[in-house]
Amino acid sequence: MSNYHIKHLEEYYQVYRKSIREPENFWAEIAEEHFLWRKKWDKVLEWDFTKPAIKWFQGAQLNITENCIDRHLGTRANKTAILFEPNNPDEPAQHITYKQLSERVNQFANVLKEQGVKKGDRVCIYVPMIPELAIATLACARIGAIHSVVFAGFSAAALFSRINDSDCKIVITSDGSFRGKKSIDLKGIVDEALEDCAGVKTVLVVKRINSDIHMKEGRDQWLQPLLDKASKECVAETMEAEDPLFILYTSGSTGKPKGMVHTTAGYMVYSAYTFKNAFQYQENDVYWCTADIGWITGHSYIVYGPLANGATTVLFEGVPSYPDFGRFWEIIQKHKVTQFYTAPTAIRALAKHGTELVDQYDLSTLKVLGSVGEPINEEAWHWYNDTIGKKKSPIIDTWWQTETGGIMITPIPYVTPTKPTYATLPFIGVQPALMDENGQELKGNQVEGRLCIKFPWPSMARTIWGNHQRYKETYFSAYENMYFTGDGALRDEVGYYRITGRVDDVIIVSGHNLGTAPIEDAINEHPAVAESAIVGFPHDIKGSALYGYVTLKDIGESRDHNNLRKEINQLITDRIGPIAKLDKIQFSEGLPKTRSGKIMRRILRKIASNEMDNLGDISTLLNPEVVENIIENKL
Ligand code: 6R9
């Protein structure tokens, strides 16, 4: 028997040791006993971090939707697979059973086939948090099409670059989306994005808000009539273990987003196994992850991980503040949620509204509380633990990335003793390493360095779509034979890990990864802007917020600064989306630079964070005099 479900600490250590000593045997046992294969693998693992080339379960054939849907039909046909809670609390929730999910995914898959979508084609999904988002994703997987879900809060320009980068031939969207009191014209954004995308021949539109939208003749079609005609049977495509399952874009340190490619077998095994253990999922639990399926957290822990375990997964369309800040707690009470997984930024925003609102609801069904997306600060951790968990539901602070596909460092609830702000121990099969500035591994405990992973795990991204060289440079070139995460971390006296934050040009705002480069590119498009630099600074709710330093061209000097600020934020909203707007914009005469002309963001970051007495040596700068001027005019 393999150790699919870990129940106590001794077992964790024992299984962890086995997963490190004999990784191939270990993963082969998990894969063999808990998943459905059309054909078993010839080789469990082949890897070379210098190329880098990573292959898990080579030779195996499968379809992930048979694992997430079909195999449950015998025993769980009438169990709720997806529990949809609409934006409007007065609209009834929908319980989609495994049988209904099967039929709806098959119908959708047949529609895609009719539209000419074939195995290996890329399909862009730009749909709000409604059941069709999960169903479209699974329908792609059913026929072997590669889904590229784009978060439906991204702008037309961001959507365009993602559709274009992976040559999607079809876009699935909706007439609009509801978010709290607002509705958003998603189809309008798609139309704008597609003005320059000649490759997209078909747009399928889900009706959600019943708005009066323009349908482009020959390109746009309403989805429902097509679904109504489609068969509820669809034979799943046979996929090779290493066939791509999806592309998901994440920000990098250049303007171009990175399309991380995840493949079929390894991703399935790891997302399912981590889900089972990190959430200690039991058959009748109701699990809720508040992320959007447009992020990796939604892919792995709303869709694939839960469904592969035959779980009930809640899909919430709305926002935590509508109709009031009690909405999350109301949903937990209403659906008797047992595992709740959210982000520190949401916890901080809700904590601000006090405990009274929380106390109106019965949260006694909760067993596990999860946190993801950014470091959770001590205050938020305690509020979550005391007010939401009533000190009886362990908090799992789960560290991982789009690139890792699944949770990498986390306590296992009721197994690993927790410690505020610590992600604690590596998950089974994960071999972290902390590196110093000279590329040496820091051994032993009580050390702090850059977080790397020494050995492959099944769900690691295999490449960047269309740019393997960038994949190699970003993740495998900083340290020899290691995957470099971009994060800093420390290991305490007992070997627990605490993530200290990014060490590169990625800033995490409200749990969203934002590269500084694309934001600066957007600002620099403004005709009055000469140059700009973005840094993060601590923010009560968002964790980090964005501070922009902007130098103006002569034509900008006489302009009203507040108007300029508005115009700059509008540009950012148009190019990237409102999540990347700057909290503060300071106009300065110059930006501190090295002699080779690189902007010294480190100094700007310290100024923005009010650490003026800790700027380090600035005498080597090309223009040390600007620093004083920037400090004087700090916002
Ligand atoms: C899953 C996800 C990845 C980056 C990652 C790190 C930060 C995520 C964290 C955390 C501290 C945690 N991060 N979880 N930092 N503690 N529990 O968020 O993926 O959007 O790709 O972000 O988020 O900096 O490198 P992604």
Side-chain angles (χ1 to χ4, degrees):
M1 255 295 280
S2 72
N3 304 89
Y4 191 69
H5 186 189
I6 292 152
K7 298 191 191 69
H8 49 83
L9 193 58
E10 227 168 280
E11 191 183 1
Y12 161 81
Y13 280 114
Q14 179 218 324
V15 177
Y16 182 76
R17 274 196 297 271
K18 177 171 172 188
S19 75
I20 303 308
R21 286 190 192 141
E22 319 164 40
E24 299 186 28
N25 289 341
F26 174 77
W27 287 111
E29 275 175 35
I30 295 283
E32 172 119 30
E33 286 173 30
H34 301 280
F35 299 89
L36 202 65
W37 304 90
R38 295 258 179 96
K39 174 178 171 286
K40 294 273 162 66
W41 47 91
D42 306 315
K43 192 164 187 195
V44 182
L45 172 64
E46 190 176 302
W47 67 291
D48 179 350
F49 276 178
T50 62
K51 287 194 165 70
I54 300 108
K55 290 181 181 147
W56 281 92
F57 306 113
Q58 258 186 100
Q61 294 180 334
L62 71 156
N63 188 291
I64 194 168
T65 66
E66 289 184 331
N67 283 273
C68 289
I69 305 171
D70 304 53
R71 67 161 157 159
H72 306 308
L73 295 178
T75 50
R76 302 185 176 108
N78 297 320
K79 175 175 177 178
T80 302
I82 295 177
L83 204 176
F84 175 58
E85 172 67 26
N87 177 64
N88 177 352
D90 299 329
E91 191 184 321
Q94 291 174 33
H95 291 255
I96 302 170
T97 65
Y98 273 93
K99 176 146 191 292
Q100 291 164 335
L101 182 64
S102 164
E103 292 172 354
R104 289 176 70 174
V105 167
N106 287 346
Q107 284 180 308
F108 208 131
N110 284 324
V111 168
L112 292 176
K113 279 211 242 175
E114 255 168 52
Q115 298 297 322
V117 179
K118 297 197 177 57
K119 180 176 176 181
D121 287 347
R122 275 78 59 204
V123 173
C124 175
I125 304 178
Y126 186 70
V127 172
M129 280 288 282
I130 53 178
E132 285 80 359
L133 174 53
I135 292 168
T137 304
L138 292 161
C140 288
R142 186 89 181 160
I143 63 169
I146 303 170
H147 55 77
S148 168
V149 180
V150 176
F151 170 58
F154 274 130
S155 70
L159 176 61
F160 163 77
S161 70
R162 286 158 176 77
I163 293 173
N164 210 32
D165 181 72
S166 47
D167 283 321
C168 295
K169 56 153 47 168
I170 178 165
V171 176
I172 301 165
T173 188
S174 70
D175 56 349
S177 63
F178 292 124
R179 272 188 84 73
K181 281 193 275 275
K182 288 190 288 190
S183 55
I184 295 159
D185 175 21
L186 278 195
K187 177 61 169 47
I189 297 173
V190 171
D191 289 342
E192 200 186 324
L194 292 187
E195 274 169 22
D196 300 315
C197 279
V200 175
K201 302 282 184 244
T202 309
V203 176
L204 299 178
V205 187
V206 181
K207 195 167 252 177
R208 174 60 183 145
I209 68 168
N210 285 314
S211 63
D212 188 16
I213 56 164
H214 172 70
M215 296 290 279
K216 187 172 170 183
E217 189 71 44
R219 187 194 70 184
D220 302 350
Q221 297 182 68
W222 289 106
L223 184 70
Q224 196 56 49
L226 302 176
L227 287 173
D228 290 341
K229 281 184 280 178
S231 159
K232 292 176 180 165
E233 305 282 329
C234 175
V235 177
E237 182 75 38
T238 302
M239 304 298 285
E240 302 294 326
E242 285 294 339
D243 278 341
L245 174 64
F246 64 86
I247 301 170
L248 186 61
Y249 286 88
T250 186
S251 314
S253 48
T254 72
K256 207 169 174 282
K258 297 175 288 194
M260 304 313 307
V261 177
H262 282 283
T263 58
T264 306
Y267 176 81
M268 172 182 77
V269 169
Y270 196 79
S271 62
Y273 183 54
T274 47
F275 174 77
K276 175 72 183 172
N277 287 289
F279 296 99
Q280 291 283 307
Y281 184 81
Q282 307 276 353
E283 186 59 32
N284 294 316
D285 288 348
V286 176
Y287 161 89
W288 180 21
C289 164
T290 70
D292 192 290
I293 294 174
W295 311 115
I296 191 68
T297 305
H299 280 60
S300 303
Y301 301 113
I302 296 178
V303 181
Y304 290 113
L307 297 179
N309 284 282
T312 298
T313 175
V314 175
L315 199 157
F316 175 46
E317 182 182 29
V319 292
S321 55
Y322 178 78
D324 61 39
F325 282 91
R327 186 70 191 275
F328 275 5
W329 324 129
E330 190 247 339
I331 294 174
I332 291 172
Q333 170 180 287
K334 177 173 169 192
H335 297 302
K336 303 192 166 43
V337 170
T338 44
Q339 288 91 349
F340 177 67
Y341 192 26
T342 195
T345 184
I347 298 166
R348 289 190 294 264
L350 294 166
K352 227 177 87 175
H353 293 272
T355 58
E356 264 166 51
L357 211 48
V358 182
D359 292 340
Q360 294 171 21
Y361 299 98
D362 176 6
L363 306 182
S364 63
T365 49
L366 286 173
K367 297 192 286 190
V368 178
L369 300 176
S371 172
V372 62
E374 57 185 315
I376 179 166
N377 52 302
E378 187 118 20
E379 204 184 333
W381 195 98
H382 284 293
W383 188 81
Y384 201 23
N385 186 57
D386 301 356
T387 308
I388 306 306
K390 321 288 183 205
K391 299 188 176 163
K392 67 168 188 52
S393 297
I395 294 179
I396 53 162
D397 178 1
T398 62
W399 173 84
W400 58 296
Q401 310 178 295
T402 304
E403 294 85 339
T404 69
I407 293 170
M408 299 291 281
I409 304 182
T410 183
I412 294 179
Y414 302 99
V415 171
T416 319
T418 59
K419 175 173 175 182
T421 77
Y422 280 72
T424 75
L425 297 174
F427 192 74
I428 306 300
V430 174
Q431 302 190 33
L434 296 178
M435 308 298 290
D436 72 11
E437 271 141 39
N438 308 317
Q440 297 301 312
E441 183 176 350
L442 296 157
K443 306 269 184 175
N445 289 340
Q446 287 190 297
V447 288
E448 179 166 357
R450 297 183 167 206
L451 179 61
C452 291
I453 314 287
K454 304 196 239 198
F455 193 85
W457 62 102
S459 67
M460 64 191 299
R462 304 295 197 257
T463 189
I464 292 175
W465 184 264
N467 200 343
H468 197 67
Q469 186 59 26
R470 187 175 180 198
Y471 175 68
K472 178 174 173 173
E473 278 161 18
T474 311
Y475 304 106
F476 297 90
S477 301
Y479 303 98
E480 210 177 313
N481 252 321
M482 301 256 178
Y483 166 83
F484 173 49
T485 64
D487 284 313
L490 62 81
R491 192 162 50 224
D492 76 359
E493 63 287 353
V494 299
Y496 274 16
Y497 288 85
R498 178 188 189 177
I499 311 302
T500 50
R502 302 290 306 188
V503 295
D504 57 9
D505 287 337
V506 173
I507 305 173
I508 303 195
V509 177
S510 300
H512 300 310
N513 285 14
L514 300 172
T516 51
I519 304 174
E520 290 165 7
D521 290 349
I523 300 172
N524 298 348
E525 279 181 38
H526 194 289
V529 169
E531 206 175 26
S532 62
I534 304 298
V535 299
F537 70 99
H539 185 279
D540 284 355
I541 307 283
K542 302 180 189 178
S544 292
L546 299 175
Y547 194 119
Y549 298 90
V550 175
T551 63
L552 295 171
K553 295 178 185 159
D554 289 344
I555 52 161
E557 295 296 351
S558 56
R559 300 268 307 269
D560 177 75
H561 279 187
N562 278 335
N563 278 342
L564 276 175
R565 288 191 176 99
K566 280 191 199 130
E567 289 167 15
I568 287 171
N569 267 331
Q570 189 55 46
L571 260 174
I572 295 173
T573 305
D574 294 344
R575 296 291 179 271
I576 299 155
I579 48 175
K581 281 203 286 197
L582 309 183
D583 269 42
K584 294 185 180 175
I585 301 179
Q586 176 175 351
F587 296 102
S588 72
E589 283 167 19
L591 301 174
K593 291 196 180 155
T594 64
R595 284 169 199 269
S596 63
K598 284 204 182 67
I599 298 174
M600 288 292 281
R601 287 195 182 70
R602 181 176 55 80
I603 291 173
L604 294 172
R605 202 177 298 133
K606 292 214 162 127
I607 298 174
S609 311
N610 279 324
E611 294 174 33
M612 261 69 97
D613 44 0
N614 182 20
L615 292 184
D617 182 12
I618 59 168
S619 64
T620 57
L621 291 179
L622 186 67
N623 49 354
E625 69 287 351
V626 305
V627 174
E628 203 150 303
N629 178 276
I630 290 177
I631 293 175
E632 265 167 37
N633 295 305
K634 182 180 179 291
L635 300 176

